[in-house]
Amino acid sequence: MAAHPLDPLSPAELAAAIEIVRRERELTRDHLFVFTLLAEPSKAELDAWREGDPIDRAARITIWDRAEGLLIESVVGLDRKSTRLNSSHVA
């Protein structure tokens, strides 16, 4: 578990985020992971956070759909183990 809200995603968090988005988006071999990064909390959330407080962690994932020519952006909540936000863009 991260000690600070801005700590990088751990290997376990990365694996969990990828598993969640694969399951919820029903990804195939046509989907390639471009980026998986920490979805940083807002400045207000950071200002309010104190050491020992629980951290609501999330991953920002960008996926290339080769078949459709789309970039898919998702934010995956690691606490609730579900996708919070999805959007697609023509590449």
Side-chain angles (χ1 to χ4, degrees), residues 30-82:
D30 288 324
H31 297 91
L32 302 174
F33 286 85
V34 179
F35 295 107
T36 303
L37 308 166
L38 174 68
E40 294 183 3
S42 70
K43 184 162 176 52
E45 290 171 314
L46 280 175
D47 287 344
W49 180 81
R50 298 293 174 255
E51 190 170 341
D53 286 352
I55 302 171
D56 185 16
R57 304 275 285 172
R60 181 172 299 281
I61 299 177
T62 303
I63 301 162
W64 168 243
D65 181 339
R66 296 183 295 179
E68 299 294 325
L70 295 175
L71 278 178
I72 301 165
E73 296 179 320
S74 297
V75 175
V76 177
L78 298 170
D79 53 338
R80 294 180 188 91
K81 297 184 177 14
S82 64

Side-chain angles (χ1 to χ4, degrees), residues 2-16:
H4 188 276
L6 295 179
D7 282 350
L9 294 171
S10 70
E13 288 174 319
L14 284 168

